[in-house]
Each structure stands twice: as structure tokens, then as C-alpha cells.
Amino acid sequence: EYPEEYLKEKNYSEFLNWCGELFYLYLGTEERLMISKKQQNCGIDSGEMNFLSTFKFEFDALKELRKNIKSIFNKDVCLDGDTFGESIAIRVGNDLEYIYSSAKNKEDIYKLMKESILDDQGDGLKNYISLFLTLKIPEKSVLLLDEPEAFLHPPLARQVGELIGSVVDENKQIFVSTHSVEVLKGILSTCQDINILRITQPCDKKNIITKLDENVLNNILIKPLLRVSQTMDGLFCDRVIITEAEADEIFYQELIEKINPQSGIHFVHGQGKSNITTIAKCYRSVNVNYDIIVDFDLLRQQDDLNKYFDLMNFESQEEKESYQKSVSSFRKHLDAEAEKKFIIENIDDLQNIEDSIVEDKLKKYKKQIKDEVYHKMGLNYFECIQKLLIKIEEESIKKIPQ
């Protein structure tokens, strides 16, 4: 009577309070420790059912559970509805093959009675088994999982993520709340059809929810170096510093830790300049504060520099184009200076050398001069570039003189 009344009044909140559990299952930390404990053994015709009794005839699920527990925990399990009379529980032992044998006898049942039950095991094993069985319940199409990594070591947390990702299909939707990058990586390794939401709570105590752009996420997932790097770890941090290479990351991380050990800054490297903007876009889409540290030779290639320009906030297109012209002017000036210096140093030999040889020598000489400017003279080389460098500084892209 009450649910029908709430529906007529379109009071969906009260309707869900009454009937919500028919549509979804919530599994928090406490629930996972309790849901698989010894409980009443319900028969098919009893008119009642509970969590463990639901699986008495789910042979495929129990077989898969047993395989996983052997692999991960080096233990064996079985669902025991024989030795407790009116109760049912999960038995845990080193090898329970005898109870699965078609030729089991009374002695096997007595032997099973001496095996431990899940209630007496560690929280990690309880957590995993409860989570596994919950994911296998066909009747619940919506699952709410809170911190599935609780009580688990990082490698096992990743396996839990893989398990969660593997059961998602068009008939099941899973909401996962986690503080573990290993769970996230595990899910992403088996399922890419996901939405990643980052929830933060600033000083005003109001939650801010941001969604990671799907295209940005896909750009990370298709690049093996980024997929296995610490890029995803940054989603759980307040501030990230992105460097070009691992050596840069180690150097600046050590430096920051010496100056401010409590900074809480996360470091990640992009394996080169080309990946840095992809990482930055990932953090920007979910409001993670980030800084970029790059070498001065970022100015060397316009295509690479344009990717960084796309991250910056220009007042107008004209302002952006003016900086691009400044960089172009810088390169032209560099070419002209190199050519002038080459002619001065080789004036006596140029008349006696073929044009093709001169052109090849000039090309090598220009490269030598550019290397010297980009990698040695750095910021102090040319005044026309200073305005751009100030703009880059304001946009939290730090340039490092070589």
C-alpha cells in the first residue's frame, strides 16, 4: 500500500527507501565481512532464501571461486550445507578435493567437519569471497561497491579490479567507490566501458564531482607507456608535477622531499614531451592541479609547442598567434645567425667546395649551433622569446635552463 501511494505522489525517494533493495545491492566494508558468515540453511521449498543458500546450486560460480582462491590465497574452499544441520557455511582448508569427489563417504564428511570455516579466517579472504559471490548474483542488475580494496594488499586489489571489470555487461551496472589506483587499473585492464568520476570536498564541505573525459582516457589507454605508468595515480592526488623523463622525475621528487617532506605532491613522467600534454589533459578534466617541467628545447618544434599552447589560456586568438610568431622569429633568427657564423668561419674554403657539400656542411653546422643554444645557453639567448616564457610560467609550465 505504501509504495503504491508513493508512486502516485511521485515521491521517488520514499519509494526507493521501501523498494530500493529489490533493484540494487550495496556492499560496504562491514557488509563484506558479515555477508558470507555461517547462516541458516534454506531449502528450495522453504519460502526463504539468504546469501549463501542462493549459491548451493550455482556450481559454475563455486568452481570459479575455488580456482581463484587456490591461485590467490593458496587455499581451498567449499560450501558446506551438510555438517551443520540447519546452518550453511564456507569451509576453508589446504585441499578439499575429497569432498568434491563423486565417491565421497561418511568419513569424508567427518573430515570436513574438522576443517576451518570462513568466519575464523582473515578479513582479506572474507572480503574477497563476499565480493566474488556478490558479483555473481544474477538477480541484482545494479551493484554498489564501497572500497573493495579494504583488507587487501595492492596486487590483490588489482585482481579485485580485474574481477569487477570482467563481470560488467549490458545486464549489470556496477558503481565502485575506491581510493585505490590498483583497483582502477585492474578494472581498466578488463573493461574500457566505464565512467571515471573524481569527487573532492573543499573547505565548504560541498562535494565537487568531475568526470574524466572519455577521449582523454582512451588516449592514455592506447599508449602502453602511459597505461602502466603512474599517470592514473595522479587522479587520487591534490597536486601533480609532470616531467619529461624518469630521471627528471627522480631528481625533482628528491629535491621537493628535501625542501618540503610534507608536500604531498605526486610525480609522473611522460616518457618524452609528446605524452605530457595527454597526461595534463587527463588531470585538467577532473580538476587535478598540475605543473609541467620541460626543457628549453620545447621551442624547437612548432608542432610540439602547439600542443602546449592548447593547454594555455590566451585572452584571444591574436595573442596566441603573436606568441607563435615570436617563436617562429626566434627560429629564423637562429638559422640566420648560424648561417652568418658559418660563412665567416669558412669564407676561404667555400669557393673551392661543391654546392652540395656546402649545403650538407651548413645543415650540420646549423644543428650544432641549435644544440648549443637549446641545451647550453637556454633562457638567456634571445630577448624576443622572454614574453612567451613569462606567459608559460604563468600557465604552470616550468622551463628548465640546460
Side-chain angles (χ1 to χ4, degrees):
E1 158 180 11
Y2 292 115
E4 183 177 352
E5 179 181 323
Y6 292 135
L7 279 177
K8 287 180 181 179
E9 297 175 358
K10 294 187 177 181
N11 189 337
Y12 297 122
S13 296
E14 286 298 330
F15 174 76
L16 288 176
N17 284 338
W18 279 83
C19 304
E21 292 187 8
L22 298 174
F23 305 100
Y24 71 88
L25 177 62
Y26 170 77
L27 202 63
T29 304
E30 294 183 9
E31 286 79 7
R32 291 196 299 278
L33 296 180
M34 299 297 296
I35 197 171
S36 294
K37 282 193 169 187
K38 184 170 73 171
Q39 50 205 249
Q40 181 182 352
N41 190 353
C42 299
I44 295 178
D45 61 349
S46 66
E48 298 180 5
M49 190 56 64
N50 57 35
F51 186 72
L52 290 183
S53 297
T54 301
F55 287 94
K56 285 199 294 186
F57 304 103
E58 296 291 338
F59 303 114
D60 289 341
L62 293 174
K63 182 179 179 180
E64 185 181 352
L65 172 64
R66 187 184 178 208
K67 177 182 176 182
N68 288 8
I69 296 301
K70 280 187 173 183
S71 173
I72 298 171
F73 294 92
N74 198 29
K75 293 180 181 292
D76 202 354
V77 294
C78 75
L79 186 61
D80 178 14
D82 297 325
T83 67
F84 294 105
E86 295 182 353
S87 299
I88 187 172
I90 294 177
R91 292 282 188 183
V92 181
N94 293 323
D95 184 6
L96 303 181
E97 184 62 34
Y98 64 87
I99 205 64
Y100 288 94
S101 171
S102 57
K104 66 180 179 181
N105 51 42
K106 183 168 66 175
E107 285 72 23
D108 293 328
I109 300 299
Y110 282 122
K111 185 177 179 180
L112 181 64
M113 291 176 62
K114 299 178 181 179
E115 303 283 4
S116 301
I117 63 174
L118 183 61
D119 304 40
D120 301 325
Q121 300 296 309
D123 291 342
L125 184 60
K126 293 177 186 175
N127 180 66
Y128 184 90
I129 290 178
S130 296
L131 183 61
F132 179 94
L133 294 177
T134 299
L135 292 170
K136 297 298 180 179
I137 296 178
E139 292 82 7
K140 301 294 184 179
S141 58
V142 177
L143 300 180
L144 310 179
L145 306 179
D146 185 23
E147 298 185 6
E149 70 275 11
F151 315 114
L152 303 177
H153 297 298
L156 185 50
R158 183 184 177 93
Q159 290 179 300
V160 163
E162 293 171 356
L163 175 64
I164 294 171
S166 68
V167 302
V168 175
D169 57 34
E170 60 183 13
N171 298 316
K172 191 182 292 289
Q173 190 171 26
I174 303 176
F175 294 84
V176 182
S177 170
T178 181
H179 295 92
S180 169
V181 70
E182 296 302 328
V183 169
L184 178 57
K185 287 180 178 179
I187 294 173
L188 289 171
S189 70
T190 52
C191 175
Q192 280 76 54
D193 183 22
I194 73 171
N195 291 313
I196 298 178
L197 304 178
R198 183 171 185 263
I199 304 176
T200 56
Q201 191 178 76
C203 297
D204 58 6
K205 302 299 182 181
K206 292 181 180 179
N207 287 338
I208 297 178
I209 302 175
T210 50
K211 179 175 178 267
L212 179 58
D213 184 273
E214 293 178 15
N215 294 326
V216 173
L217 175 61
N218 289 334
N219 286 337
I220 291 176
L221 296 179
I222 63 176
K223 297 181 179 181
L225 289 177
L226 294 185
R227 191 171 63 245
V228 300
S229 71
Q230 298 186 59
T231 299
M232 304 308 293
D233 299 57
L235 297 176
F236 297 85
C237 302
D238 292 326
R239 191 173 191 87
V240 180
I241 291 180
I242 312 170
T243 65
E244 287 188 45
E246 185 177 10
D248 300 321
E249 176 188 326
I250 294 172
F251 173 79
Y252 290 110
Q253 184 169 2
E254 184 70 16
L255 184 64
I256 292 295
E257 287 180 356
K258 293 292 185 185
I259 298 172
N260 183 9
Q262 307 299 323
S263 69
I265 296 175
H266 175 69
F267 286 81
V268 62
H269 63 274
Q271 296 284 356
K273 292 181 179 64
S274 59
N275 290 326
I276 288 180
T277 52
T278 300
I279 298 173
K281 288 177 181 177
C282 170
Y283 297 149
R284 170 176 282 196
S285 71
V286 288
N287 294 335
V288 174
N289 297 311
Y290 67 88
D291 295 291
I292 298 174
I293 299 178
V294 290
D295 295 337
F296 184 79
D297 64 351
L298 169 67
L299 306 180
R300 195 165 195 155
Q301 297 293 332
Q302 187 62 47
D303 290 343
D304 287 340
L305 184 58
N306 284 338
K307 294 178 182 178
Y308 289 82
F309 278 170
D310 291 340
L311 291 173
M312 298 165 65
N313 298 312
F314 294 99
E315 293 182 2
S316 64
Q317 180 64 22
E318 289 75 17
E319 183 190 18
K320 180 179 180 180
E321 290 174 357
S322 72
Y323 287 123
Q324 290 173 326
K325 289 178 181 178
S326 294
V327 178
S328 178
S329 173
F330 168 72
R331 295 197 194 97
K332 289 178 181 178
H333 174 85
L334 204 53
D335 277 344
E337 287 290 306
E339 188 168 344
K340 180 180 177 182
K341 191 173 181 181
F342 175 76
I343 293 173
I344 292 173
E345 293 181 3
N346 298 274
I347 188 66
D348 295 333
D349 301 326
L350 291 178
Q351 294 180 349
N352 302 319
I353 303 176
E354 294 182 11
D355 291 345
S356 60
I357 298 177
V358 172
E359 186 177 339
D360 184 59
K361 281 193 170 186
L362 177 59
K363 183 177 180 181
K364 292 179 180 177
Y365 190 81
K366 283 183 176 180
K367 183 180 184 304
Q368 178 184 336
I369 294 297
K370 289 178 181 179
D371 287 344
E372 183 178 344
V373 169
Y374 286 122
H375 296 293
K376 293 182 181 179
M377 302 174 72
L379 305 183
N380 302 316
Y381 181 73
F382 199 47
E383 289 184 6
C384 77
I385 214 69
Q386 290 300 318
K387 283 181 64 178
L388 172 61
L389 297 178
I390 293 171
K391 176 69 177 177
I392 290 176
E393 178 103 43
E394 293 171 350
E395 295 290 338
S396 294
I397 300 177
K398 315 300 185 189
K399 62 253 179 267
I400 304 302
Q402 298 287 338

